[in-house]
Amino acid sequence: MVGRGVFGMIELVQVSKTFNAGQPNEYTAVREVSFSIEPGRVTALRGPSGSGKTTLLGLIGGLTRPSSGRVRLDGRDISALPERFLTELRRATFGFVFQQFQLIRGLSVLENVMLPATPTGRPYTEVRARALQLLADFDLAGRAEAKAQWLSGGEAQRVAIARALINDPKVILADEPTAHLDSVLSRQILAIFADLRAQGRSVILSSHDPLVFEFGLVERVVEIRDGQVTA
Amino acid sequence: MSFLHNAWLERQRGLIDFSVANLGRRRGRNFGLFLAYSLLVFLLASVVLYGDALRREARLLLADAPELVVQRLTAGRHDLLPAEWLDKVTGLRGVRAAEGRLWGYHYDPAAQANSTLLVPNDAPPAPGQVEIGAALARASGLAAGDVLSLRSFDGKPFAFNISRVFEAESELVSADLMRVSATDFRAFFGIEPGRYTDLALSVSNPREVRKVAEKVLDRLPGARVVAREEMRRTYEAAFNWRQGVLLTFLSTILLAFALLAWDKASGLSAEERREIGILKAVGWDTGDVLRMKLWEGALLSVAAFLTGYVLAWLHVFYADAPLFTAVLKGWSVLYPHFSLSPQIDVAQIATLFFLTVLPYVAATIAPVWHAATLDPDAVMRE
Amino acid sequence: MTSQRNRRGSTLAGWVLGMGALALLLVLLDSGRLAASHAETLRQGQARVMSDQLTDPALFTEARYARHASQADQHAAFQDHPMALEHFPAGAMTPPTVMPLP
Ligand SMILES: Nc1ncnc2c1ncn2[C@@H]1O[C@H](COP(=O)(O)OP(=O)(O)OP(=O)(O)O)[C@@H](O)[C@H]1O
Ligand SMILES: [Mg+2]
C-alpha cells in the first residue's frame, strides 16, 4: 500500500530559495537548481556546511516553498499547492528524519511515532500495531513507553526513522542522519536505509560524512556548493 | 477493521489523545489552572444560583401578602391610626376586606435581639400565651411550655406561656415573630383600644389596586399606601443589590483569573512553539494544530466548569450557602435557617458557560494561530 | 507484540466529560426532586404569610428600620436599590421605581 499512485519521481526546475527577501539580511541559499531524482534509489546531497543541503531537502519535501522555480512530484507541480493539499501530499508521500531528531519531550516513544498518523484518521489499533512493529524492527520494542527525552542519540535517531515510516511513505528524506552518531551506530542506521531501499522506497539524504559514501549504499550523489549543483 | 470506522471521528480522537497527553505533560500548571478556574465558576455559579433562588422564594412567599397596607403619617413619621380609618375604608368600592393590624418591635437587651410582636387576626393566642418563631426559640433557648419573661413599655415584668414554636418550614418569614393576643399587645406596649399600627386591605379585583389606592388616599389624606407590588419590588431590589455587590466583588477575581489564564495560555513558550513546528513538519495542517489546542482548552475549561457548577449546587442547596449567609445576616442575632429550591434555567447555565469557557478557549487559541500558520521548515534547523 | 495497556487519552477525556455530564444531569434531576420536596415548605411559609398578614421575610432582623423594608418610606434612609451606591437615598443614581400615586 505504498503511497497511492505515487511513484516518487522528483524534478526540480530552476528552483531558487531566498530568505528574508527585500531585507538587508537577504540571503539566497539555493540558486536556480535543476535536477531530478529517480524513484526507488538512494540519493545523497553532498556539500560543505552552509551549502544549502537542508534547504534543498525542505524544498524537495514541500516543507519550504521555493522563491522561484518549480518542484514536481510525478510530473505534478507541488510548489503552488494550497497548504492543506500540500500537507496532505507531504504526509502521504514523504517521511522526514530531521537533523536534530525533533521528538516531542514528555510524550512516549510510541506516541511520538504515531504522531504523523493522527491527521490521516486511520484506525488507532492499526496505527498502533504498525508503530509497535516498526519499533520492534528497530530493536526498540522495550522502549515504547519510554519518554522521548530519556533516549540515547542512537535510539532517538531510530525512533525518528520509525516516525517517518508510520504513514508508509514512498520517499524518505533524512538530513545528516549520522551527524550525531559514532561509526557503529552510523552503520546501523545506514543498514536500515538499505532495508528501506530494498522495500522499494526512495531515500534522499544529505551528508558530508565520508562514512556514508564509503558504505556503498548511495547510488547517486548530488554535489552542492554555495546553493548550486556542481555535479 | 471495524465497518463503522469513520476517518473524521478517528482523527478527532487522535487530536484529543494528543490534547490529553499535552495536559498531562504540564500537569502542575494545568492542575493549578483547573483549580483556579473551578473556584471561579464555583463562586460565580453560587452567587447566581443563590440570588435567583432567594428572589424566587421571596416572590412566591409574599405572593399572598396584603394587597394594600395603609399607614398613617404624622409630621412625616409613621404613627398609630384610629379605628375610624378602618371604618372609612371598609365601605369603599373595590375593597373586599380591611383589617386593623397590630404589630411592633421588641428589643431584648440581654440577647441583643430584635423581635417582631404581632397580633394575628386569624386565630390569635389566648391572653397570657405567646407563639414564637424558631430562630427566637433557638437564640433564647426556650421551647413550648417554657415561660418567656419580658419587660413591658413601663418597665413591668410580663410573663408569657410559650404555647408553641412555629414550624421550621416557615422560618424564612417567621423566625423572629412573637404572636400574642390583642389584649396582651395593647397592655404590653401601652396602646389604647381603638388604635392600630396600620391597615391591611384586600381588593376584589387585583387589577384595580391602583384605583383603590387612589380612593383610599382621597378618603384619608394623611395616609401612605404601600401596594404589594412595591413590597415585591423592594425585595427584588434588595437581592439584586446584594447580588450586584457580590458580582462586582467577583469581577475583580474574574479579572485576576483572566490575567492568569491569559498569561498561562497565551504566552507560548519556545518549547511549545517548537512543538507546533514539529507537528506541522510531520504532516499536521494548521487546522489540526488549532483543533488540538481547542480541545485542550475545551477539556480543561469544560471539566472546570462542570466541577465548579456542581460544587456550587451542593454549596447552595445542600450546605445552605455558608458563604452567603454572612452577607445577608449582617449582625442579626435572629437569623432564619431556611432551604431554597432551585430554578434551573438553561439560559442561566448557558450564560455562565459562555462567560467562563469561551474567553479561556479564545485565550488559548489566539496565540497558537500565529505559530500554527508559520512555515514548518524552521524545524529543520534547530 | 508487547502487552502494553491500550489506554487512550481520548478515552480518559470521554470518561471525565461523561462523568461531568452525568453530574450535570443528576443536578438537573435533583432540581426537580428539590423543588418537589420544597413545595411543602413553601406552602407552610405561604400559609403563615396569609394568616399573619406578613409583608417581609425575616432576613434582616439586625435593626428595626431594616426588618420591614417594604414598609419603609421610599424617601427614608436604608432603602435598597440596585442603582444605589450606598444605603442613603442621596447615594442612588436613579430614584427607586414605585407605583406613582397622587
Ligand atoms: N531562515 C533562514 N534565514 C536566513 N538564512 C538562512 C535561513 N535558513 C538557512 N539560511 C542560510 O542558508 C544557508 C544554507 O543553509 P542550510 O541549512 O541549507 O545549509 P546546510 O548545507 O544544511 O548546512 P549544514 O551542513 O551546516 O547543515 C546558510 O548559510 C544559512 O545561514
Ligand atoms: Mg543542514
Side-chain angles (χ1 to χ4, degrees):
Chain A
M1 55 165 277
V2 165
R4 290 128 298 218
V6 171
F7 300 96
M9 180 70 182
I10 295 161
E11 293 163 89
L12 276 71
V13 184
Q14 296 285 305
V15 171
S16 297
K17 179 66 186 178
T18 303
F19 292 107
N20 310 319
Q23 285 166 37
N25 57 348
E26 177 176 300
Y27 187 85
T28 302
V30 171
R31 202 183 300 269
E32 303 196 341
V33 167
S34 301
F35 64 92
S36 52
I37 296 172
E38 305 272 297
R41 304 228 268 156
V42 179
T43 309
L45 310 179
R46 177 161 66 186
S49 181
S51 56
K53 303 183 295 293
T54 299
T55 308
L56 211 44
L57 278 180
L59 287 164
I60 293 170
L63 278 180
T64 313
R65 284 180 192 276
S67 308
S68 67
R70 297 190 192 306
V71 179
R72 293 208 189 99
L73 175 66
D74 293 326
R76 181 177 175 203
D77 185 0
I78 64 167
S79 30
L81 283 177
E83 192 220 317
R84 227 166 68 84
F85 296 103
L86 183 60
T87 307
E88 227 173 276
L89 185 84
R90 197 170 70 220
R91 193 156 63 212
T93 314
F94 298 105
F96 289 89
V97 181
F98 303 108
Q99 200 166 350
Q100 308 290 340
F101 316 140
Q102 306 289 12
L103 301 178
I104 294 189
R105 297 166 59 83
L107 289 190
S108 71
V109 164
L110 182 65
E111 287 168 324
N112 264 291
V113 172
M114 290 173 69
L115 221 45
T118 302
T120 64
R122 278 158 64 204
Y124 176 81
T125 44
E126 182 191 307
V127 174
R128 186 168 182 275
R130 169 150 176 89
L132 288 171
Q133 183 59 53
L134 284 167
L135 289 176
D137 291 350
F138 297 157
D139 277 339
L140 290 163
R143 306 293 282 154
E145 293 299 322
K147 298 288 181 209
Q149 67 271 25
W150 299 343
L151 300 177
S152 69
E155 285 173 331
Q157 183 67 292
R158 281 176 288 153
V159 171
I161 298 174
R163 183 177 67 184
L165 290 170
I166 191 72
N167 286 340
D168 201 13
K170 179 72 180 158
V171 183
I172 300 294
L173 298 167
D175 196 8
E176 314 252 8
T178 62
H180 302 284
L181 308 178
D182 64 29
S183 52
V184 176
L185 287 174
S186 296
R187 289 199 185 88
Q188 203 179 2
I189 296 297
L190 292 170
I192 290 174
F193 286 138
D195 286 345
L196 299 180
R197 156 80 173 82
Q199 290 163 13
R201 295 178 217 271
S202 313
V203 176
I204 304 172
L205 46 85
S206 78
S207 190
H208 52 219
D209 182 356
L211 195 142
V212 170
F213 298 93
E214 288 157 14
F215 193 76
L217 170 71
V218 177
E219 293 155 276
R220 165 143 186 246
V221 177
V222 179
E223 293 283 353
I224 323 260
R225 193 165 292 271
D226 296 332
Q228 287 181 304
V229 174
T230 55
Chain B
M1 291 303 120
S2 160
F3 292 108
L4 290 174
H5 169 70
N6 176 319
W8 182 86
L9 220 60
E10 194 65 56
R11 187 169 173 159
Q12 298 305 315
R13 273 198 79 178
L15 295 177
I16 298 173
D17 284 343
F18 190 74
S19 308
V20 172
N22 252 349
L23 289 169
R25 279 194 300 152
R26 300 182 181 90
R27 205 163 295 152
R29 179 187 105 155
N30 287 318
F31 190 64
L33 214 52
F34 170 81
L35 284 187
Y37 207 142
S38 303
L39 179 71
L40 177 77
V41 174
F42 166 76
L43 290 173
L44 273 176
S46 290
V47 171
V48 171
L49 284 172
Y50 190 72
D52 286 3
L54 192 56
R55 247 195 310 262
R56 176 180 120 99
E57 190 76 5
R59 180 161 41 80
L60 292 176
L61 273 178
L62 299 176
D64 293 320
E67 281 165 304
L68 289 173
V69 170
V70 179
Q71 303 170 348
R72 178 188 183 188
L73 297 182
T74 301
R77 313 203 92 214
H78 181 255
D79 197 5
L80 298 174
L81 50 81
E84 299 89 74
W85 279 37
L86 186 56
D87 303 333
K88 279 189 180 168
V89 296
T90 309
L92 273 177
R93 254 177 73 94
V95 175
R96 192 175 55 198
E99 283 167 323
R101 298 200 302 170
L102 284 171
W103 60 276
Y105 302 111
H106 176 261
Y107 178 66
D108 177 0
Q112 295 192 311
N114 272 299
S115 47
T116 302
L117 270 85
L118 68 87
V119 180
N121 285 305
D122 188 22
Q129 308 257 301
V130 64
E131 299 173 0
I132 64 173
L136 187 55
R138 259 198 314 274
S140 56
L142 293 171
D146 290 345
V147 173
L148 175 64
S149 304
L150 305 173
R151 252 169 218 290
S152 70
F153 78 103
D154 51 359
K156 289 205 204 80
F158 231 89
F160 291 101
N161 280 313
I162 301 178
S163 60
R164 84 163 161 139
V165 175
F166 291 136
E167 61 287 340
E169 284 78 2
S170 70
E171 223 179 303
L172 187 53
V173 287
S174 68
D176 67 332
L177 296 188
M178 292 189 204
R179 283 201 336 168
V180 295
S181 66
T183 331
D184 284 347
F185 187 89
R186 291 182 191 281
F188 187 75
F189 286 118
I191 295 175
E192 310 139 31
R195 302 225 140 223
Y196 294 104
T197 310
D198 54 22
L199 304 177
L201 270 55
S202 63
V203 174
S204 327
N205 182 354
R207 285 196 297 196
E208 284 183 356
V209 169
R210 251 181 94 102
K211 217 180 249 166
V212 174
E214 281 167 26
K215 280 190 208 156
V216 170
L217 282 173
D218 215 33
R219 186 104 22 125
L220 304 169
R224 182 168 106 82
V225 181
V226 184
R228 186 161 68 194
E229 176 59 19
E230 284 174 82
M231 304 174 200
R232 195 184 60 72
R233 266 205 297 253
T234 300
Y235 282 96
E236 199 93 343
F239 299 142
N240 278 344
W241 156 257
R242 274 173 175 72
Q243 199 174 21
V245 170
L246 280 174
L247 288 175
T248 310
F249 167 69
L250 276 181
S251 68
T252 59
I253 300 183
L254 190 73
L255 197 69
F257 177 76
L259 289 175
L260 175 88
W262 185 260
D263 186 53
K264 294 281 176 202
S266 67
L268 275 192
S269 62
E271 176 78 4
E272 285 169 296
R273 217 179 293 276
R274 191 181 75 94
E275 285 169 10
I276 290 172
I278 296 175
L279 292 176
K280 290 209 68 179
V282 301
W284 288 41
D285 66 29
T286 307
D288 292 322
V289 174
L290 289 176
R291 266 188 289 272
M292 181 274 289
K293 282 285 172 189
L294 195 73
W295 275 116
E296 200 180 313
L299 283 175
L300 182 85
S301 52
V302 169
F305 176 82
L306 291 172
T307 307
Y309 190 82
V310 170
L311 286 179
W313 183 269
L314 295 175
H315 169 232
V316 171
F317 297 115
Y318 284 91
D320 292 335
L323 284 184
F324 300 133
T325 304
V327 179
L328 281 173
K329 192 171 174 180
W331 59 88
S332 307
V333 172
L334 302 178
Y335 190 74
H337 288 175
F338 58 94
S339 63
L340 293 170
S341 158
Q343 191 175 29
I344 280 284
D345 183 350
V346 176
Q348 175 209 72
I349 298 183
T351 309
L352 275 173
F353 185 80
F354 287 122
L355 261 178
T356 51
V357 171
L358 277 195
Y360 179 75
V361 173
T364 18
I365 284 299
V368 174
W369 191 277
H370 180 65
T373 47
L374 290 179
D375 269 347
D377 66 335
V379 168
M380 301 196 76
R381 49 191 95 253
E382 261 167 26
Chain C
M1 195 136 302
T2 48
S3 63
Q4 280 140 352
R5 298 142 297 166
N6 192 350
R7 205 183 35 186
R8 297 189 66 176
S10 54
T11 313
L12 180 69
W15 270 103
V16 169
L17 290 189
M19 299 295 266
L22 187 70
L24 197 65
L25 187 73
L26 286 178
V27 158
L28 291 177
L29 292 177
D30 188 42
S31 86
R33 193 191 65 77
L34 281 173
S37 72
H38 188 73
E40 177 56 19
T41 307
L42 191 62
R43 200 195 57 73
Q44 293 201 34
Q46 283 168 331
R48 176 114 344 265
V49 167
M50 279 272 248
S51 77
D52 294 353
Q53 296 179 309
L54 302 178
T55 51
D56 295 73
L59 277 173
F60 310 105
T61 63
E62 63 264 48
R64 285 188 304 270
Y65 56 75
R67 173 63 179 88
H68 290 88
S70 77
Q71 304 300 296
D73 193 320
Q74 57 168 296
H75 298 300
F78 309 107
Q79 270 278 314
D80 263 327
H81 184 263
M83 296 301 277
L85 295 179
E86 32 99 341
H87 284 301
F88 291 94
M93 285 154 70
T94 63
T97 44
V98 291
M99 190 171 77
L101 288 172

Tab-separated table of all heavy atoms in Angstrom, chain A residues 53-54 99 175-176 206, ligand 2:
chain	number	residue	atom	x	y	z
A	53	LYS	N	22.142	22.212	1.772
A	53	LYS	CA	21.583	20.854	1.720
A	53	LYS	C	20.233	20.774	2.424
A	53	LYS	O	19.258	20.236	1.877
A	53	LYS	CB	22.548	19.863	2.386
A	53	LYS	CG	23.941	19.856	1.783
A	53	LYS	CD	24.813	18.814	2.449
A	53	LYS	CE	25.104	19.079	3.918
A	53	LYS	NZ	25.949	20.278	4.139
A	54	THR	N	20.182	21.296	3.625
A	54	THR	CA	18.943	21.238	4.396
A	54	THR	C	17.833	21.995	3.671
A	54	THR	O	16.694	21.527	3.580
A	54	THR	CB	19.176	21.826	5.799
A	54	THR	OG1	20.174	21.055	6.453
A	54	THR	CG2	17.913	21.823	6.619
A	99	GLN	N	17.575	16.632	11.285
A	99	GLN	CA	18.941	16.623	11.782
A	99	GLN	C	18.986	16.494	13.306
A	99	GLN	O	19.807	15.805	13.857
A	99	GLN	CB	19.626	17.921	11.338
A	99	GLN	CG	21.127	17.861	11.352
A	99	GLN	CD	21.744	19.028	10.580
A	99	GLN	OE1	21.057	19.759	9.889
A	99	GLN	NE2	23.043	19.176	10.689
A	175	ASP	N	18.054	14.215	6.947
A	175	ASP	CA	19.026	15.306	6.974
A	175	ASP	C	20.165	14.913	7.905
A	175	ASP	O	19.977	14.774	9.110
A	175	ASP	CB	18.323	16.582	7.463
A	175	ASP	CG	19.134	17.825	7.156
A	175	ASP	OD1	20.149	17.709	6.443
A	175	ASP	OD2	18.730	18.912	7.618
A	176	GLU	N	21.343	14.731	7.358
A	176	GLU	CA	22.536	14.358	8.125
A	176	GLU	C	22.214	13.248	9.126
A	176	GLU	O	22.366	13.447	10.338
A	176	GLU	CB	23.060	15.588	8.888
A	176	GLU	CG	23.129	16.835	8.041
A	176	GLU	CD	24.550	17.233	7.693
A	176	GLU	OE1	25.478	16.467	7.981
A	176	GLU	OE2	24.708	18.312	7.105
A	206	SER	N	21.078	13.927	3.123
A	206	SER	CA	22.125	14.927	2.962
A	206	SER	C	23.240	14.527	3.908
A	206	SER	O	22.980	13.983	4.983
A	206	SER	CB	21.602	16.311	3.335
A	206	SER	OG	21.560	16.445	4.742
D	2	MG	MG	21.852	21.186	7.323
